[in-house]
Amino acid sequence: MKITIKITLKKKILPPPPINVSEVIKKASSLPTIKIDRKEYIRKNFENTKYANKIGSIINDGPIKAGVPLEYINKLAKKSIANETLKVSAISFAAGVPGVFAMAATISTDMAQFYGHILRISQKLAYLYGIEDIETLSDDGSENTYILFLGVMFGVQQANNALKAILIPTQAHLAKHIANQALTKGTIYPIIKETAKILGIRMTKQIFAKGVSKTIPIVGGISSGGLSLIMFKSMAGRLHKNLQELTTS
């Protein structure tokens, strides 16, 4: 007896067009608790340590210039990354559980929360390595600073080079430099625009991968949470390594 097996191929799911990085930053920054108070963060990390007597200097000049050993700063950076990774993974799991029927309603919020934590860890790492207070999003300069940080996190070489060009020549006044840097004109601005384009494509692929991972209830939550953990830890790790090398070279 001849048996015929019919195979039906499902239509390939294509990712959407590249997203607008500026819009992602704006949406993420509008969420509560995204802004990290630099002075409060520094006090919390140093007030009950042997460096408590240096808090004034740490706030004014940054931990490195105040004489805090790099070993200790790295320890605090890793602790901050671990804390934010745990939070973003838990949120992503909860958002992933409903599965495909709630996908359209949850993915936007989920990713806004993901990038909200990206903004949080960016601030924390920047403050530990001597960069002055960064507004979450009050002007083009602040937004472009975050675009550069995101570029470094996604492994965009142009962003690495731009951050290096900004930080190394002014290391003596590092704590005052990035926040005051316009980043809206001159040789750095075109690099930021190019970085934003590259980010739009890479972030779209990332969001698409997370969206697909949610199509199976429960498993989708586990998959989404796992992807968030891996991506967040990897992205934060890149920025950590970059800032550590640039601010101590």
Side-chain angles (χ1 to χ4, degrees), residues 148 157-167 188 191-192 195:
L148 284 183
Q157 189 57 47
Q158 293 95 319
N160 288 333
N161 294 339
L163 208 55
K164 181 177 181 180
I166 292 169
L167 293 181
I188 299 298
I191 297 175
I192 291 171
T195 297

Side-chain angles (χ1 to χ4, degrees), residues 59-125:
I59 289 173
N60 290 330
D61 304 315
I64 294 173
K65 195 174 177 184
V68 178
L70 183 59
E71 242 178 57
Y72 190 76
I73 296 171
N74 289 339
K75 182 179 177 181
L76 292 177
K78 289 176 182 177
K79 182 179 177 182
S80 290
I81 291 173
N83 288 340
E84 292 296 326
T85 302
L86 184 63
K87 291 175 185 176
V88 79
S89 299
I91 290 171
S92 188
F93 171 79
V97 169
V100 66
F101 299 108
M103 182 175 170
T106 61
I107 189 169
S108 180
T109 301
D110 181 20
M111 291 312 299
Q113 290 173 330
F114 179 87
Y115 280 101
H117 284 281
I118 285 291
L119 295 187
R120 280 175 57 86
I121 194 61
S122 295
Q123 293 169 81
K124 288 181 177 182
L125 293 176

Side-chain angles (χ1 to χ4, degrees), residues 164 167-168 171 242-249:
K164 181 177 181 180
L167 293 181
I168 290 181
Q171 204 166 29
N242 187 279
L243 288 174
Q244 179 186 337
E245 290 176 351
L246 291 182
T247 56
T248 58
S249 60

Side-chain angles (χ1 to χ4, degrees), residues 113-150:
Q113 290 173 330
F114 179 87
Y115 280 101
H117 284 281
I118 285 291
L119 295 187
R120 280 175 57 86
I121 194 61
S122 295
Q123 293 169 81
K124 288 181 177 182
L125 293 176
Y127 301 156
L128 285 175
Y129 289 95
I131 295 170
E132 195 183 43
D133 193 34
I134 306 169
E135 292 296 328
T136 301
L137 193 59
S138 62
D139 53 41
D140 290 341
S142 296
E143 179 181 322
N144 289 341
T145 297
Y146 284 117
I147 288 175
L148 284 183
F149 285 160
L150 278 169

